[in-house]
Amino acid sequence: MKVKICGLTRLEDALAAQQQGAFALGFIFYPPSKRFIAADAARDILAQLPAEAQPVGVFVNQMAEAQAAAKSLPLKGLQLHGDETPDDCRRLRDGFGGFIIKAFRLQGEADLETVSLYADAVDYILVDAVVTGAYGGTGQLADWALARRAADLPKPLILSGGITPDNIAQALRAVRPFAVDLAGGVESAPGIKCPDKIKQLFDAIKENTHAA
């Protein structure tokens, strides 16, 4: 089971997640987010990460900013968490060389059909919770039943939304995702990760994997 730790704002948190075995490290470049990080601050952190780290820039309806970051920052992935179209994703992927994650907030059957339109435009799909007026980072649970159905689509599924060390085992059993994505579930405050919670998360995943 792979883990993406998102909303990183400090080097020590990024290193703690990487040392535990995180698949990807998320940096949010969307100013309204309470976990926003400026490009210059992120650049300082990225320069000190080990070569095997996979930093991901997270953007919400910010195509120009995402394209600029893809050129100016050593990112391995770009995550589009807004209303970007398949063509947006393809355009961003052209010339980037890294992977593309597209986030979806699933409410019903029609949304699964929408996700399928992105099959040739992205590398991963991410399912998050539906909260009116919010694009993510709410701490609310996604619809696990719909997420489980999305996990059967052609692209690997990353499950996000309200996951914690306490409910990770239940989430894995219910959805069987390729990876999970956490921000608030391993924090002591928005943007400030808790090393103990990160360790608890990875320990819980190991225990669940061994029990499976």
Side-chain angles (χ1 to χ4, degrees):
M1 172 53 54
K2 297 184 181 296
V3 176
K4 175 175 171 281
I5 300 295
C6 201
L8 293 160
T9 62
R10 305 190 305 172
L11 174 62
E12 57 264 43
D13 297 341
L15 291 174
Q18 183 67 27
Q19 288 164 2
Q20 286 293 332
F23 147 70
L25 307 172
F27 297 85
I28 299 175
F29 297 103
Y30 179 55
S33 171
K34 54 190 175 183
R35 300 178 179 91
F36 167 75
I37 186 168
D40 287 344
R43 184 177 289 107
D44 289 341
I45 295 174
L46 298 180
Q48 300 176 72
L49 294 178
E52 65 271 18
Q54 296 204 102
V56 176
V58 181
F59 301 89
V60 180
N61 300 326
Q62 299 166 282
M63 285 295 293
E65 291 88 341
Q67 289 171 328
K71 296 177 180 178
S72 64
L73 295 174
L75 298 170
K76 301 290 181 63
L78 298 171
Q79 178 174 316
L80 303 180
H81 216 96
D83 307 308
E84 300 85 3
T85 67
D87 283 343
D88 289 334
C89 296
R90 294 187 192 98
R91 188 164 66 252
L92 188 57
R93 187 170 59 182
D94 288 345
F96 172 45
F99 57 86
I100 303 294
I101 302 171
K102 179 67 184 82
F104 300 90
R105 292 164 295 282
L106 303 182
Q107 298 187 76
E109 195 86 19
D111 293 325
L112 293 172
E113 297 178 10
T114 298
V115 173
S116 68
L117 300 177
Y118 290 76
D120 66 344
V122 303
D123 300 286
Y124 304 96
I125 59 174
L126 182 148
V127 171
D128 204 349
V130 178
V131 177
T132 301
Y135 282 102
T138 63
Q140 300 299 307
L141 291 180
D143 185 321
W144 287 356
L146 285 173
R148 178 68 189 94
R149 295 184 63 186
D152 291 330
L153 296 173
K155 293 298 179 178
L157 174 77
I158 302 172
L159 178 65
S160 187
I163 300 172
T164 71
D166 293 331
N167 67 14
I168 182 65
Q170 183 182 0
L172 297 182
R173 287 193 299 269
V175 180
R176 300 176 187 172
F178 166 80
V180 291
D181 180 292
L182 289 89
V186 289
E187 286 182 339
S188 55
I192 307 300
K193 307 308 182 199
C194 173
D196 289 342
K197 289 183 179 180
I198 293 176
K199 185 177 185 304
Q200 289 168 15
L201 173 76
F202 280 89
D203 286 347
I205 290 174
K206 290 174 185 174
E207 290 175 7
N208 184 72
T209 301
H210 293 156

